[in-house]
Amino acid sequence: MNGVETLAQTIAKYRKKDPTTDDEIEFMENIYDSLCSSILFPANKTLFMDCECVELMVLLLRERKLSRFGAIRVLDFILSGGGEHSETAAKAFIEHLGLAAIFGVFMKLPKMKKYNAYKGMESKYEEHIVTIIASLLRELKNNTDLFQRVIAKFLEKNFSKSVRLAELHAVAEEKLRACERELSDERESAIAAGEIIDEEFEDEEYLERTENGLSVLQQVDFIVAEVIHSCGDEMRRQMKKLFKLKSANFNTVFHVLVEYAENIGDETEGKEKSTTLRVRDLCASVFPNKKITSKETEEEAEEEVAENRTNNGTNAEKETKEPTSTTTTTNIHEKVVVEDKRESEDEEDE
């Protein structure tokens, strides 16, 4: 018996019963942590699949027990890793009725407040859940039947799951906006103090943003784009209505995905290249009237505009008041505000 199988068998004991004490809950969570860590290594992913652990996680997810929270984390790890193991896991997940289970918690996250070990972790588990769904779409893009089964979930029951997407987008966007305001203030203070805004400073800002709404937005908006791309213009119009219903800005989806593509990683090989190209293709498909530009191109254009203003004798005080999108922390929402003022093409399409 290998270590992965031992961990799986230990977890299986909690399929029908909950831990009875806080110490036992911590023990169970530690076992899940160990399993998540173990499947970071390719050899252990093979053992994970051979032991039918995906099937076990689906069974745990379908039970209304505490063990389903850990199962969500493990499924996120195995499905989002990329490569043949993730694709095989995605197929096994759907074949063993995982869709009904994951969309059940997607629509309504189980109550966690009464358990000390899970207090305040609702948003984290929501992120795990949307990442699982996004990973299914990524891994199954070449399997038309299974891919369409995932897409179909967002069309059934009067688009209720698409409504949920818009709701999650709105919540995450508001959280990100608050974070970006704080980061903008911190950046201004740093500049005033003479600090250098270097790449490390911007990386820290980006990490802070991912932990405060951006990561969820990226996964939710990736799903939104996949659904629209698969279903066509009618679904695009429907999704825009749902976003409006939830007071969410549909234009944000484009800018979130463009930034996502720029920050996925090394886009010259492997999973990162495939995902980067896919996200850019989705942007072009869902937003055909928008131009996709890199961050570097935008910064060059902004520098040119700033130089022209100076040459034309633009009032310096006015320039000070006008924010520029070179500030990384406010990039997305500044662009959306500008677009909302000048863009009428989408409304005309309706």
Side-chain angles (χ1 to χ4, degrees), residues 107-230:
M107 292 300 292
K108 185 177 181 182
L109 191 68
K111 293 182 179 179
M112 306 173 73
K113 293 181 179 179
K114 61 179 180 179
Y115 303 107
N116 291 330
Y118 302 104
K119 281 184 177 178
M121 298 185 68
E122 289 84 356
S123 61
K124 195 64 183 173
Y125 277 92
E126 284 180 345
E127 182 177 346
H128 284 307
I129 292 165
V130 296
T131 303
I132 287 171
I133 297 171
S135 295
L136 290 173
L137 292 172
R138 270 190 289 267
E139 297 302 328
L140 297 172
K141 62 181 180 294
N142 295 324
N143 189 316
T144 304
D145 291 341
L146 297 183
F147 181 88
Q148 289 300 325
R149 285 177 63 180
V150 182
I151 293 294
K153 286 291 182 180
F154 294 97
L155 310 180
E156 65 185 21
K157 298 180 180 178
N158 199 27
F159 303 102
S160 60
K161 295 173 181 65
S162 292
V163 173
R164 178 64 172 154
L165 281 177
E167 182 180 87
L168 288 170
H169 175 103
V171 172
E173 184 180 6
E174 182 57 36
K175 185 177 180 179
L176 177 61
R177 186 179 288 111
C179 173
E180 289 180 338
R181 284 195 293 265
E182 292 181 8
L183 290 175
S184 180
D185 291 342
E186 291 176 7
R187 174 179 279 232
E188 290 179 6
S189 298
I191 293 174
E195 294 184 28
I196 298 176
I197 308 300
D198 55 13
E199 186 175 346
E200 182 180 357
F201 188 98
E202 292 188 343
D203 286 345
E204 290 177 359
E205 285 183 329
Y206 184 77
L207 180 60
E208 189 70 21
R209 293 169 68 226
T210 59
E211 294 175 350
N212 288 276
L214 181 59
S215 181
V216 174
L217 269 181
Q218 290 170 340
Q219 301 305 317
V220 167
D221 291 353
F222 176 82
I223 298 170
V224 168
E226 284 283 15
V227 172
I228 294 173
H229 175 74
S230 298

